[in-house]
Amino acid sequence: MVGVSDERSSSPARVAAPDPAGRPVLSLALAAMLEDVRAHSGAVYLLGADPPVLEMAVMAGLPRAFAAPWERVTLHAPVPVADAVRERRLVWVRDGEEMARRYPRVAVVLPYPFSLAALPLATDTTAYGAVFLTWPGARDADLSPGERERLTAACGRLATRLESAAEANIPVHPEPDLLAAPVVGGVPGTLGALEAVRMVGRLPYGLCSLDLHGRVGYANPAAAGLLDVPVSRLIGSRLWTAVPWLDDPVYEDRYRAALLSQETTSFVALRPPGRWLSFRLYPTRTGLSVRISRARGVSRPRPGGPLAEDAVPPARLVTVSRVVSLTGALSEAVGVRDVVQLIADEIAPTVGSQGLVVLGSRAGRLHVLGHRGYPDPAVAERFDGTPLTEGLPGTQVLRTGVPAFFESWEQLERLYPARRGTHDGYAAWAFLPLIASGRPVGTCVLAYERPHSFNTEERAILTSLAGLVAQALDRALIYDAKHRLAHGLQEALLPHSLPALPGIEAAARYLPATRGMDIGGDFYDLVPARGSAAAVIGDVQGHNVTAAGLMGQVRTAVRAYTAVGQAPEEVVRGTNRLLIDLGTELFASCLYLRLERGRVVLARAGHPPPLLRRPDGAVDVLDVPGGPLLGIDPSADYPRTEVELAPGSLLALYTDGLVESPGVDFDDALAGLGRRLAVAGELPLEELADRLVRHAADAEERPDDIALMLLRAPVA
C-alpha cells in the first residue's frame, strides 16, 4: 500500500559520532525529548550546506513512511520544520484544523487529528537542522512554558554537540529509526501466555496483532476463518498483502489514522463475493490490535471507501479514482475558459458548491478570470480591477497564498468589514489559493447556498484540489498569452482588408491550424500594379512565430517587387533569392499573378494550381508549369504563363490546407473543391468564400493553415 510498504530506515553501519564514545547522539536526544514531553513520535533533520536542504536523520514512534514526503525538505518549503529553521523559533500547531489552515500541504497527506511542535537546531550563528514532535489527537492545552523551555534547551544542547562535531570535522550521519520490534510468531513462552492464547482461540470473533508497519504478529483461528486466509500466511506478512481485497489505499487511511491519532478507528469492508466484515483498530505506541467480526447494519454496498461500524459516515468528498479523473481532465484543459468550465462541471458539484469565481491578478489589480452560478454577472465581476492592497478575502488569499474558509456571511463580514453591503447571495465560501511552482497564480472561490462547516478533512481535500487546478491554470494563462501574441502577430502581417481595385472583385479567408500556437505561414495579398492588379498567395513552412515572421518578409518583398513594375516571373525569382539570402532553413510555396485586360499572367513556385470557373460554370484546374519551392535553388527559373480571363470568370487561389487531409487523395480533394465552386460560383464572393471554407472551419482539428482568395472579373 502506498506510503506504508516502504520501511526505509537509514543503515546502522554509519552512526552519528560527535560523541567520543560513538553513541547515537541524535537518537538518544530525540528519545529523551519524546519522553520528557510525552510526545508520540518525532524526527531529527540535519541541514545540508549545498544546497541548503533539511534531510531526515532519524525518526521515532512511527514508520518513516508517514513522513515520506518530507524526508528531504528545502528551507522554502511550506512545512513546520522549514519555518522553524528559517525563523529560528518554535513552531506550534495545535490540531488538524490549524494544520489545514497554516500548512495545507501537510494536512492533505495527513488529514488526522494530531498536534505538532517544530524547533530549530541552531546556535547563535549557525543552523544545523531541526526537530519535530507530534502528539496524538488535539491537546487540551498548548505547550506549557515549562515544556517549551525544556524542548528549547534540549535542542540547544544538541545544536552545541553538532557544532562541536563540525569544528572537529567529525561527520554526523543518519541513524536507525526508533521503532518497537515486531512480535512475530505466536508461540507462547510461559504457561500464562499459553492459557491466554487458548482463551483467545476460543473467542467467536477474530483478533490480530499488528506492528507499526502493519505486519501480523499474531492471529487467532477465528480471524483466519473470517479473512479466509490461513494463519501461516498471515503471520509475518502485512495484513493487506496477505489479504488482497484489503489492498486499497482507503483502508490504509484508517490504519494510518489510528496510529497517528492513537484513537480507536473502525471500518467495514466487503469480503468477496458478498460478506461484510467489521474491523476495529485499537492503537498503542507499539502497534495495533485488530478485532474482526461480521458487520451489522450494512444494507447495501457503498462506493468511495470503508464504512464505519454501525454508523455509515458520509462518503468521501473525492475518491482516489475521482482525483485521477480530475487530473486527466485538467491536463487536457487548454485555455483559462476551459479551466473555469472544468471546475464548474467537475469539481464544484463534487464538493457541493453552487457558485464559482476564479480570480487572477494583472498590474497589481484583481482580475476576474471567470465565474459560474451568478445569474447577474455584475455581482461576480464587481471586484474586477480592485487593487491587491484592498482588505478583501480575494486579495488577501491571492497575496499570501493561505486559504480562507468562511462558514457564514456573519463570519465573513466580521473578519472583512469592507465586504459590508456586498452580499453575493451565498452563505459560505472557500477561498483557495492556486499556487504553481511556488507562486500564487490565482484564487478559486467556491460559494455555498447554505452555511457550511468545513471540517479538517474537507479543508485538506479542497486545498489538494486547488493544487491540481493551479497547475492547469498556470498552463492556461501562458497559453492564452501566447495565443493573444500569435493572433496579434498574424493580424499585423496579413492585410486587414483587401483594397478595392478597378476591374476586379476580391474576397479572402484565413484559418490558422488548431495545433501549436494558432499561427502559421500561409499568406495572401492584393496590390495595385501600374493600372492593373497583382495577387499573391503562399505558404511558408511551419506553424510558429518563425514561419509567421518569414511570411511577413516574403509578403513585403512581393509588394516591393510589384511596386517597381517587375513581371510575375521576375517577382518570384527575386523573392526566391531574398529567401536564400536570409539564410533561413524554411521553404515557401508561392503563386503570383497579374490581372491584365482580358487575361491573367502567372508564375508558380511549388504551389497548388489555381482553379478557374468560367462564365458557363465549368471549372478547370490551371496546371500551369512552375519552378521549385522558394529558398532551395538560387538559380531556379519560374516560367511565365498567360491564361485568358473572360468577363465573369472566377479564380480561386488557395493553400494546401484547404484540400489536403489525412487519408484523402489530393486529386479527389481538389475535384471536390472544384465541384463546390461550380455549384456555388454565382453567389456573392463573401458568401462563396464562407461556403468553401465551412467544412474546414467546423472541423475540431485543422492540421494545417488555410488561406483562400477569390478573384472575379466583372461582366462587361
Side-chain angles (χ1 to χ4, degrees):
M1 296 172 68
V2 177
V4 176
S5 60
D6 181 7
E7 295 179 36
R8 288 179 13 184
S9 62
S10 302
S11 171
R14 304 181 70 187
V15 179
D19 185 275
R23 292 177 297 180
V25 173
L26 303 181
S27 301
L28 292 174
L30 178 60
M33 282 186 266
L34 290 171
E35 182 65 23
D36 185 32
V37 295
R38 299 182 180 275
H40 174 220
S41 66
V44 176
Y45 287 82
L46 295 177
L47 181 61
D50 188 21
V53 174
L54 291 167
E55 297 193 44
M56 188 179 292
V58 61
M59 185 167 181
L62 286 174
R64 183 174 290 217
F66 277 62
W70 308 286
E71 283 192 276
R72 183 179 170 88
V73 176
T74 67
L75 289 183
H76 298 290
V79 296
V81 289
D83 284 356
V85 174
R86 195 172 58 252
E87 300 170 12
R88 300 290 184 91
R89 65 178 181 88
L90 186 153
V91 175
W92 169 249
V93 184
R94 179 171 181 172
D95 53 28
E97 184 173 342
E98 185 177 354
M99 183 69 76
R101 185 173 64 253
R102 294 174 57 190
Y103 301 99
R105 298 188 188 181
V106 177
V108 166
V109 180
L110 300 173
Y112 318 115
F114 68 99
S115 306
L116 180 144
L119 301 94
L121 295 175
T123 63
D124 292 338
T125 58
T126 308
Y128 294 94
V131 171
F132 80 74
L133 307 173
T134 70
W135 292 260
R139 285 173 56 112
D140 295 332
D142 291 345
L143 283 176
S144 68
E147 288 173 322
R148 289 173 179 263
E149 183 177 349
R150 294 197 301 274
L151 285 176
T152 301
C155 288
R157 289 192 296 271
L158 181 54
T160 301
R161 301 284 293 273
L162 295 173
E163 183 180 51
S164 299
E167 291 174 351
N169 291 321
I170 300 175
V172 181
H173 300 297
E175 301 174 5
D177 291 346
L178 303 178
L179 291 176
V183 180
V184 178
V187 178
T190 67
L191 183 60
L194 178 60
E195 184 58 29
V197 170
R198 288 173 177 168
M199 179 192 70
V200 172
R202 292 192 291 267
L203 293 175
Y205 47 81
L207 289 175
C208 291
S209 175
L210 307 183
D211 69 3
L212 293 177
H213 291 294
R215 292 182 298 235
V216 180
Y218 174 81
N220 69 350
L226 289 168
L227 296 174
D228 197 22
V229 177
V231 171
S232 59
R233 281 178 49 193
L234 291 171
I235 299 299
S237 301
R238 295 181 181 85
L239 187 59
W240 43 87
T241 302
V243 185
W245 46 271
L246 285 177
D247 189 9
D248 189 304
V250 179
Y251 301 137
E252 175 207 354
D253 179 72
R254 299 296 87 200
Y255 157 84
R256 292 161 66 92
L259 279 184
L260 193 58
S261 68
Q262 290 293 291
E263 296 176 354
T264 300
T265 305
S266 62
F267 63 88
V268 173
L270 176 65
R271 192 196 84 179
R275 174 173 292 182
W276 289 92
L277 298 179
S278 170
F279 292 78
R280 199 163 185 87
L281 284 62
Y282 300 88
T284 68
R285 295 191 177 190
T286 59
L288 300 103
S289 296
V290 183
R291 180 182 183 273
I292 309 170
S293 61
R294 294 189 179 185
R296 295 174 287 114
V298 178
S299 59
R300 60 185 176 87
R302 291 188 56 175
L307 306 179
E309 182 181 4
D310 298 327
V312 179
R316 280 176 167 268
L317 282 176
V318 183
T319 62
V320 173
S321 60
R322 187 62 170 161
V323 171
V324 173
S325 174
L326 290 172
T327 302
L330 286 167
S331 68
E332 296 174 359
V334 178
V336 171
R337 182 179 298 178
D338 298 333
V339 174
V340 174
Q341 191 63 50
L342 183 64
I343 300 172
D345 293 344
E346 301 285 345
I347 296 179
T350 300
V351 300
S353 168
Q354 293 79 36
L356 164 71
V357 181
V358 179
L359 304 171
S361 63
R362 183 185 302 164
R365 293 183 177 272
L366 204 64
H367 180 51
V368 178
L369 300 176
H371 55 82
R372 298 291 187 276
Y374 291 85
D376 182 2
V379 173
E381 296 172 1
R382 60 184 152 188
F383 297 111
D384 193 80
T386 301
L388 294 181
T389 53
E390 290 287 330
L392 298 171
T395 58
Q396 177 74 10
V397 171
L398 190 58
R399 287 198 316 268
T400 64
V402 178
F405 300 91
F406 304 96
E407 299 180 354
S408 66
W409 169 251
E410 291 74 21
Q411 184 184 40
L412 175 62
E413 191 178 45
R414 183 175 67 255
L415 295 175
Y416 290 91
R419 283 296 305 268
R420 290 196 179 104
T422 62
H423 204 301
D424 61 2
Y426 287 99
W429 300 264
F431 287 78
L432 307 173
L434 304 178
I435 301 173
S437 302
R439 58 185 180 83
V441 297
T443 299
C444 178
V445 185
L446 297 172
Y448 297 76
E449 291 179 345
R450 295 182 178 86
H452 186 88
S453 177
F454 299 92
N455 60 35
T456 301
E457 183 178 7
E458 185 174 5
R459 293 183 184 214
I461 289 172
L462 289 173
T463 305
S464 177
L465 291 175
L468 297 177
V469 171
Q471 300 298 323
L473 181 62
D474 192 34
R475 293 192 304 270
L477 289 169
I478 294 173
Y479 173 84
D480 284 353
K482 290 182 177 179
H483 195 265
R484 288 192 297 270
L485 172 64
H487 274 261
L489 178 60
Q490 193 84 59
E491 290 177 1
L493 295 176
L494 288 174
H496 295 287
S497 61
L498 296 178
L501 300 178
I504 193 70
E505 183 184 356
R509 295 291 183 271
Y510 172 80
L511 299 175
T514 56
R515 299 175 185 173
M517 292 179 59
D518 282 4
I519 188 173
D522 286 16
F523 66 97
Y524 61 85
D525 204 356
L526 180 66
V527 296
R530 296 192 176 181
S532 61
V536 62
I537 192 166
D539 183 0
V540 177
Q541 175 190 7
H543 310 115
N544 50 37
V545 174
T546 302
L550 187 60
M551 173 265 284
Q553 291 176 301
V554 171
R555 178 171 167 250
T556 301
V558 169
R559 273 187 163 261
Y561 293 138
T562 301
V564 297
Q566 289 191 355
E569 64 274 20
E570 294 172 343
V571 171
V572 177
R573 278 199 299 268
T575 306
N576 176 54
R577 287 192 299 269
L578 172 66
L579 203 58
I580 292 173
D581 291 342
L582 290 174
T584 177
E585 295 181 355
L586 299 180
F587 308 131
S589 69
C590 176
L591 174 65
Y592 180 90
L593 58 88
R594 183 164 296 172
L595 298 164
E596 299 178 356
R597 188 180 301 273
R599 64 174 185 164
V600 58
V601 183
L602 307 96
R604 187 163 67 97
H607 198 82
L611 298 179
L612 174 63
R613 186 183 187 276
R614 301 188 184 278
D616 60 2
V619 176
D620 296 331
V621 177
L622 300 182
D623 194 7
V624 297
L629 292 169
L630 303 177
I632 296 178
D633 182 3
S635 60
D637 189 33
Y638 300 93
R640 169 193 180 105
T641 302
E642 295 186 9
V643 177
E644 181 184 354
L645 190 65
S649 298
L650 175 66
L651 279 169
L653 317 180
Y654 56 91
T655 55
D656 52 11
L658 184 62
V659 291
E660 287 185 348
S661 58
V664 179
D665 182 77
F666 178 83
D667 291 336
D668 293 340
L670 187 58
L673 177 62
R675 287 192 294 271
R676 295 195 299 274
L677 184 62
V679 171
E682 298 296 334
L683 292 173
L685 280 196
E686 295 293 339
E687 186 177 342
L688 175 60
D690 288 337
R691 179 168 297 193
L692 293 180
V693 301
R694 182 176 300 161
H695 73 287
D698 293 340
E700 292 186 5
E701 284 198 7
R702 288 188 299 275
D704 200 359
D705 305 4
I706 294 173
L708 171 70
M709 179 182 287
L710 301 177
L711 303 171
R712 177 180 284 159
V715 178

